Amino acid sequence: MDRIPILKLGGVLIVTIQVDMHDRLALALEEDLTAMIVRTGARAVLIEISALEIVDSFIGRMLVSIAAVSRILDADTVVAGMRPAVAITLVELGLELTGIKTALNVERGMALIQSRLAEEEEDGCGGDREVHEG
Amino acid sequence: MTVKSTKVETLPIRSGDDVVRVRQRVRALAIEIGLGLVDQTKFVTAASELARNALDYGGGGEVRAEIVQAGMRKGLRLTFEDQGPGIADIEQAMTDHYTSGGGLGLGLGGAKRLSNEFHIESTPGAGTRVTIARWK
């Protein structure tokens, strides 16, 4: 079965969606990301969607669901690189990406994640985190 | 003004992969009639919502795609049909965030907002037919 690859860069998991999403792929991505957050102790997930020609409520629901599960596992979700036409369409569709932070591109998404992680460390709530191997 | 169809084709909606194929075909036809990028994106998104509705709530069905012409204007019309349980209360089903399944409840209302024309008829126990059109 196809799978979307997940890269780990420091405490961040990076996913770039390059294919037209269908049900099985969306479910597999959600499962893989969840397992990988727990395994690596990642603090953030960056999902890059510049190749997506549309985001309908099915894909929107997948993104919201990934963000909700990540949140429970103490990781932030940032969606980066949405096309302008997709953004316009999402507003008209009425889809709210609840719990998701967005960034114009991967670079800005990484900067957003890093500044949040730095903030947390200053507050003393970041840093030490049990990592489950296995 | 009389509207005439110049190109008609039918695509099945039986699986998630079919929904992807419907999106790709609608995109190609939208480009063919010269819709701009934002309009293409809106209409493909509307088609995706309705194809998924037909699959998830109607148990599958089909879509008829037509390039239509009224005078000098060209448009794309899509008719989604399923033989599912139908919708008893269409007004309620059109309301944002109302859902009878596990969805977000944006499909019908969203598809209407993303189209120039929207028409729905449904017979409980017999099925649902939704027609949308976007004009250039």
Side-chain angles (χ1 to χ4, degrees):
Chain A
M1 194 174 92
D2 313 337
R3 282 231 145 39
I4 294 176
I6 303 170
L7 307 176
K8 181 177 174 294
L9 188 68
V12 186
L13 299 180
I14 302 173
V15 174
T16 171
I17 301 177
Q18 301 277 352
V19 291
D20 213 334
M21 295 293 284
H22 53 72
D23 317 33
R24 292 187 311 282
L25 205 53
L27 285 175
L29 177 62
E30 203 175 325
E31 277 171 25
D32 290 352
L33 265 177
T34 309
M36 202 144 159
I37 290 170
V38 173
R39 200 170 68 235
T40 64
R43 300 301 311 276
V45 175
L46 180 70
I47 304 174
E48 201 274 335
I49 61 162
S50 65
L52 282 190
E53 291 183 341
I54 69 150
V55 171
D56 61 2
S57 61
F58 174 75
I59 297 168
R61 189 169 71 205
M62 175 199 79
L63 294 173
V64 168
S65 168
I66 286 174
V69 174
S70 302
R71 184 72 266 158
I72 293 170
L73 296 173
D74 196 21
D76 282 332
T77 302
V78 175
V79 169
M82 186 182 291
R83 294 184 181 195
V86 171
I88 292 169
T89 301
L90 272 188
V91 171
E92 210 157 304
L93 184 62
L95 190 67
E96 285 163 38
L97 298 179
T98 314
I100 298 178
K101 291 174 197 69
T102 51
L104 211 52
N105 53 40
V106 170
E107 208 171 358
R108 302 246 300 242
M110 283 302 277
L112 178 66
I113 288 169
Q114 248 122 34
S115 73
R116 284 186 59 87
L117 292 184
E119 244 172 60
E120 277 183 19
E121 260 170 44
E122 267 172 34
D123 296 346
C125 58
D128 298 326
R129 194 183 140 109
E130 204 182 329
V131 175
H132 302 270
E133 292 292 347
Chain B
M1 192 175 291
T2 42
V3 178
K4 66 174 195 222
S5 310
T6 51
K7 186 171 183 174
V8 186
E9 56 188 68
T10 303
L11 298 165
I13 305 167
R14 296 275 163 220
S15 67
D17 290 342
D18 283 343
V19 175
V20 172
R21 273 189 284 275
V22 167
R23 285 208 288 265
Q24 288 164 351
R25 194 62 199 130
V26 170
R27 169 80 66 178
L29 290 168
I31 291 170
E32 195 176 319
I33 65 161
L35 285 185
L37 183 59
V38 172
D39 283 349
Q40 283 172 33
T41 305
K42 286 181 179 178
F43 204 57
V44 172
T45 305
S48 185
E49 296 294 335
L50 295 176
R52 185 153 291 284
N53 274 357
L55 182 66
D56 290 350
Y57 302 108
E62 59 178 37
V63 56
R64 192 171 74 243
E66 295 164 82
I67 290 179
V68 286
Q69 188 141 12
M72 295 298 288
R73 284 183 89 200
K74 266 194 172 179
L76 183 55
R77 184 195 285 148
L78 305 171
T79 306
F80 294 83
E81 228 173 321
D82 67 62
Q83 280 77 47
I87 303 167
D89 187 342
I90 287 181
E91 206 175 313
Q92 185 187 42
M94 292 293 302
T95 313
D96 275 358
H97 306 295
Y98 171 81
T99 176
S100 63
L104 292 174
L106 291 168
L108 287 176
K112 185 177 182 181
R113 284 192 292 277
L114 294 170
S115 308
N116 297 136
E117 284 171 28
F118 179 93
H119 183 71
I120 181 167
E121 26 183 338
S122 185
T123 313
T128 302
R129 183 194 293 144
V130 184
T131 305
I132 55 172
R134 184 116 203 159
W135 293 91
K136 178 158 161 46

